[in-house]
Amino acid sequence: MTATLYIDGQWVPAASGETRTIICPADGTEVAVVSEAGEQDTLNAIAAARKAFDSRVWAGTPAAERGEFLLRVAKAIEDRKDEFARAEALDTGKRFVEAQIDMDDIIGCFKHFGKLADSDAGRIVDAGDPTVISKIVYEPVGVCGLITPWNFPLLQAAWKLAPALAAGNSLILKPAELTPHTGMLIMDVFEKAGLPAGVANLITGPGATAGAPLSSHEDVDMVSFTGGLITGRKIAASAAQTIKKVALELGGKNPNVVFADADFDAAVDNALNAGFLDSGLVCSAGTRLIVEESIKEKFVDELVRRAEKIRMGGPFDENAETGPLISAEHREKVYNYTQKGIDEGAVLRTGHHFGGEEHKDGFFYAPTVLDNVERGQHVVVEEGFGPVITVETFTTEEEAVETANDTNYGLAGAVWTSNRGTAHRVSSKLRHGTIWINDYHPYLPQAEWGGFKQSGFGRELGHIGFEEYREAKHVYENTEPAVSGWFADN
Ligand SMILES: NC(=O)c1ccc[n+]([C@@H]2O[C@H](COP(=O)([O-])OP(=O)(O)OC[C@H]3O[C@@H](n4cnc5c(N)ncnc54)[C@H](O)[C@@H]3O)[C@@H](O)[C@H]2O)c1
Ligand SMILES: C[N+](C)(C)CC=O
């Protein structure tokens, strides 16, 4: 019997008995069969998390012990790193080596929040009266619903799981239905590292049925979501009915701004990384290349020459530099998105095909460059979520900033220039949550991550990523109680 839901410390099948076959997007081979949760399973998981939270079994555990638990989790993932990376690579189709790097980032994330867990218990507030003790204490939010996407399955989950547990919450994790495996492995690690039953629960199943109760149910105190804009809107609207805390990490349409005085080779090379790393399936992918007009022809020629050399292949193909898209449906979406751009006048410089004979069993889509696009055009404005770079130009610094900010999103972006004054002036004007200067894609567990505008609200990582999972409570003690005399006693 398939039993991949982890509820109240037990591995159980879906109440309906339904299952889903997970396939590797690189070659269509069957990876595993998992339980397909529905609404009832999620309600069971919420009840278990509620019971665990209300019992204070974890919330009442000293913060230092919660921190030690997270450090044990980090160590356990380190010990099982290749097993985790293999599971992630098979589910997503990404290269094994990329999945290993993701595991390193995940280990770093658990260590970061492990160290933060008991770092700040609260503060004393000056009430202006020495006989009054007024303090701010931090408490866990309660039951947290954590909903994550398929592109970095465990990394996106870790950014939520680690701070939620550090702060003493109980939780239900719902990974994307296509990539459940590392969610299952992390529950196993939690159990072996001593997490009490019911504190962390796992639901493997689709968003509309298994995910929806996490935003609507009154016993869930917070929902933290990473995924697409349209789903994010639905979750925020649903959560509004019970006024629960909401954190949204949504998509991006991220500008990569290159000035003529930038290091040419580094900027071209990193423009490839920005747009094509992990097949462009990165929320912060630099899909909008905005390059100074005077170097545009040379820059784009070199970008295209390099893009055409990128080798696509499966997780364990040692020659491969990038993998497939997640599914046939997603590839069709990316194809149609790009085709619409071409139909609207974009010039296809390379890509927009499914690779060669050796790629026919997977969902590959070649790195694509669209030249001569215009602001406001669909491929410039909407997130395609695939390896598609569009090219725009500017002639003045002001125009570069205006172009880079001309998007409803505000997740990340980069500035390439050898003039540090230009770099910092421009970065101060960009309305995006992360700005890289002469680099693209570094992420640090110590640094907050999140979006401006329609890329969402709330922050993950850093200190604020911990605060998201805590409530501040003011405790005011009058050490010399006395009659106030406000209301007359006659
Ligand atoms: N900002 C970030 O840090 C970040 C990181 C990774 C991915 N993303 C974004 O994620 C998107 C790609 O991921 P995706 O296609 O998996 O996104 P998606 O929105 O389709 O799905 C994300 C998750 O939400 C669930 N879901 C769907 N409908 C739901 C509902 N009504 N209620 C509850 N849960 C529901 C899905 O099952 C999945 O687990 C892109 O837009 C990408 O930019 C953002
Ligand atoms: C934030 N990051 C890059 C880990 C994943 C975005 O899709």
Side-chain angles (χ1 to χ4, degrees), residues 151-152 155-156 159 282-284 443 449:
N151 59 340
F152 288 83
L155 184 60
Q156 295 302 156
W159 290 10
V282 187
C283 52
S284 39
Y443 307 89
W449 174 261

PDB file of all heavy atoms in Angstrom, residues 151-152 155-156 159 282-284 443 449, ligand 2:
ATOM      1  N   ASN A 151      10.170  23.943  -8.484  1.00  0.00           N
ATOM      2  CA  ASN A 151      11.484  24.207  -9.104  1.00  0.00           C
ATOM      3  C   ASN A 151      12.665  23.968  -8.158  1.00  0.00           C
ATOM      4  O   ASN A 151      13.696  23.446  -8.577  1.00  0.00           O
ATOM      5  CB  ASN A 151      11.528  25.616  -9.720  1.00  0.00           C
ATOM      6  CG  ASN A 151      11.262  26.707  -8.731  1.00  0.00           C
ATOM      7  OD1 ASN A 151      10.689  26.484  -7.666  1.00  0.00           O
ATOM      8  ND2 ASN A 151      11.675  27.911  -9.061  1.00  0.00           N
ATOM      9  N   PHE A 152      12.512  24.372  -6.891  1.00  0.00           N
ATOM     10  CA  PHE A 152      13.531  24.069  -5.870  1.00  0.00           C
ATOM     11  C   PHE A 152      12.764  23.447  -4.703  1.00  0.00           C
ATOM     12  O   PHE A 152      12.584  24.096  -3.659  1.00  0.00           O
ATOM     13  CB  PHE A 152      14.230  25.348  -5.413  1.00  0.00           C
ATOM     14  CG  PHE A 152      15.163  25.949  -6.436  1.00  0.00           C
ATOM     15  CD1 PHE A 152      14.677  26.759  -7.439  1.00  0.00           C
ATOM     16  CD2 PHE A 152      16.526  25.685  -6.396  1.00  0.00           C
ATOM     17  CE1 PHE A 152      15.519  27.305  -8.390  1.00  0.00           C
ATOM     18  CE2 PHE A 152      17.383  26.225  -7.346  1.00  0.00           C
ATOM     19  CZ  PHE A 152      16.885  27.039  -8.347  1.00  0.00           C
ATOM     20  N   LEU A 155      14.504  23.247  -1.138  1.00  0.00           N
ATOM     21  CA  LEU A 155      15.088  24.539  -0.741  1.00  0.00           C
ATOM     22  C   LEU A 155      13.977  25.514  -0.354  1.00  0.00           C
ATOM     23  O   LEU A 155      14.032  26.162   0.702  1.00  0.00           O
ATOM     24  CB  LEU A 155      15.944  25.109  -1.879  1.00  0.00           C
ATOM     25  CG  LEU A 155      16.674  26.409  -1.556  1.00  0.00           C
ATOM     26  CD1 LEU A 155      17.624  26.240  -0.381  1.00  0.00           C
ATOM     27  CD2 LEU A 155      17.463  26.905  -2.772  1.00  0.00           C
ATOM     28  N   GLN A 156      12.950  25.607  -1.198  1.00  0.00           N
ATOM     29  CA  GLN A 156      11.854  26.540  -0.876  1.00  0.00           C
ATOM     30  C   GLN A 156      11.140  26.098   0.393  1.00  0.00           C
ATOM     31  O   GLN A 156      10.703  26.939   1.181  1.00  0.00           O
ATOM     32  CB  GLN A 156      10.867  26.627  -2.044  1.00  0.00           C
ATOM     33  CG  GLN A 156      11.457  27.229  -3.308  1.00  0.00           C
ATOM     34  CD  GLN A 156      12.022  28.631  -3.144  1.00  0.00           C
ATOM     35  OE1 GLN A 156      12.871  29.042  -3.900  1.00  0.00           O
ATOM     36  NE2 GLN A 156      11.592  29.375  -2.154  1.00  0.00           N
ATOM     37  N   TRP A 159      13.289  27.044   3.559  1.00  0.00           N
ATOM     38  CA  TRP A 159      13.213  28.460   3.933  1.00  0.00           C
ATOM     39  C   TRP A 159      12.017  28.738   4.840  1.00  0.00           C
ATOM     40  O   TRP A 159      11.959  29.750   5.528  1.00  0.00           O
ATOM     41  CB  TRP A 159      13.137  29.340   2.678  1.00  0.00           C
ATOM     42  CG  TRP A 159      14.416  29.396   1.880  1.00  0.00           C
ATOM     43  CD1 TRP A 159      15.526  28.618   2.051  1.00  0.00           C
ATOM     44  CD2 TRP A 159      14.720  30.286   0.804  1.00  0.00           C
ATOM     45  NE1 TRP A 159      16.484  28.966   1.125  1.00  0.00           N
ATOM     46  CE2 TRP A 159      16.023  29.981   0.355  1.00  0.00           C
ATOM     47  CE3 TRP A 159      14.011  31.306   0.167  1.00  0.00           C
ATOM     48  CZ2 TRP A 159      16.639  30.665  -0.703  1.00  0.00           C
ATOM     49  CZ3 TRP A 159      14.616  31.991  -0.892  1.00  0.00           C
ATOM     50  CH2 TRP A 159      15.918  31.674  -1.311  1.00  0.00           C
ATOM     51  N   VAL A 282      13.684  29.569 -12.444  1.00  0.00           N
ATOM     52  CA  VAL A 282      14.121  30.248 -11.229  1.00  0.00           C
ATOM     53  C   VAL A 282      13.303  31.537 -11.141  1.00  0.00           C
ATOM     54  O   VAL A 282      13.254  32.314 -12.101  1.00  0.00           O
ATOM     55  CB  VAL A 282      15.627  30.580 -11.279  1.00  0.00           C
ATOM     56  CG1 VAL A 282      16.104  31.126  -9.947  1.00  0.00           C
ATOM     57  CG2 VAL A 282      16.445  29.367 -11.683  1.00  0.00           C
ATOM     58  N   CYS A 283      12.688  31.760  -9.975  1.00  0.00           N
ATOM     59  CA  CYS A 283      11.838  32.947  -9.814  1.00  0.00           C
ATOM     60  C   CYS A 283      12.620  34.223 -10.104  1.00  0.00           C
ATOM     61  O   CYS A 283      12.078  35.189 -10.623  1.00  0.00           O
ATOM     62  CB  CYS A 283      11.288  32.989  -8.400  1.00  0.00           C
ATOM     63  SG  CYS A 283      12.577  32.826  -7.145  1.00  0.00           S
ATOM     64  N   SER A 284      13.909  34.200  -9.765  1.00  0.00           N
ATOM     65  CA  SER A 284      14.750  35.391  -9.896  1.00  0.00           C
ATOM     66  C   SER A 284      15.571  35.388 -11.191  1.00  0.00           C
ATOM     67  O   SER A 284      16.510  36.177 -11.321  1.00  0.00           O
ATOM     68  CB  SER A 284      15.691  35.446  -8.693  1.00  0.00           C
ATOM     69  OG  SER A 284      16.140  34.137  -8.380  1.00  0.00           O
ATOM     70  N   TYR A 443      22.691  33.641  -3.208  1.00  0.00           N
ATOM     71  CA  TYR A 443      21.661  33.718  -2.158  1.00  0.00           C
ATOM     72  C   TYR A 443      22.342  33.355  -0.854  1.00  0.00           C
ATOM     73  O   TYR A 443      23.080  32.372  -0.807  1.00  0.00           O
ATOM     74  CB  TYR A 443      20.519  32.716  -2.424  1.00  0.00           C
ATOM     75  CG  TYR A 443      19.950  32.871  -3.806  1.00  0.00           C
ATOM     76  CD1 TYR A 443      20.494  32.172  -4.882  1.00  0.00           C
ATOM     77  CD2 TYR A 443      18.906  33.758  -4.042  1.00  0.00           C
ATOM     78  CE1 TYR A 443      20.009  32.361  -6.170  1.00  0.00           C
ATOM     79  CE2 TYR A 443      18.420  33.955  -5.326  1.00  0.00           C
ATOM     80  CZ  TYR A 443      18.978  33.247  -6.382  1.00  0.00           C
ATOM     81  OH  TYR A 443      18.500  33.454  -7.648  1.00  0.00           O
ATOM     82  N   TRP A 449      15.202  37.568   1.816  1.00  0.00           N
ATOM     83  CA  TRP A 449      14.801  37.337   0.429  1.00  0.00           C
ATOM     84  C   TRP A 449      13.305  37.599   0.296  1.00  0.00           C
ATOM     85  O   TRP A 449      12.516  37.146   1.127  1.00  0.00           O
ATOM     86  CB  TRP A 449      15.087  35.877   0.026  1.00  0.00           C
ATOM     87  CG  TRP A 449      14.555  35.553  -1.338  1.00  0.00           C
ATOM     88  CD1 TRP A 449      13.387  34.911  -1.637  1.00  0.00           C
ATOM     89  CD2 TRP A 449      15.156  35.898  -2.583  1.00  0.00           C
ATOM     90  NE1 TRP A 449      13.229  34.835  -2.991  1.00  0.00           N
ATOM     91  CE2 TRP A 449      14.302  35.429  -3.590  1.00  0.00           C
ATOM     92  CE3 TRP A 449      16.339  36.563  -2.943  1.00  0.00           C
ATOM     93  CZ2 TRP A 449      14.581  35.604  -4.950  1.00  0.00           C
ATOM     94  CZ3 TRP A 449      16.613  36.730  -4.293  1.00  0.00           C
ATOM     95  CH2 TRP A 449      15.752  36.252  -5.271  1.00  0.00           C
TER      96      TRP A 449
HETATM   97  C1  LIG B   2      14.882  31.798  -4.654  1.00  0.00           C
HETATM   98  N1  LIG B   2      15.428  30.666  -5.395  1.00  0.00           N
HETATM   99  C2  LIG B   2      16.421  31.133  -6.332  1.00  0.00           C
HETATM  100  C3  LIG B   2      16.048  29.711  -4.488  1.00  0.00           C
HETATM  101  C4  LIG B   2      14.394  29.932  -6.094  1.00  0.00           C
HETATM  102  C5  LIG B   2      13.610  30.675  -7.029  1.00  0.00           C
HETATM  103  O1  LIG B   2      12.933  30.080  -7.851  1.00  0.00           O
END
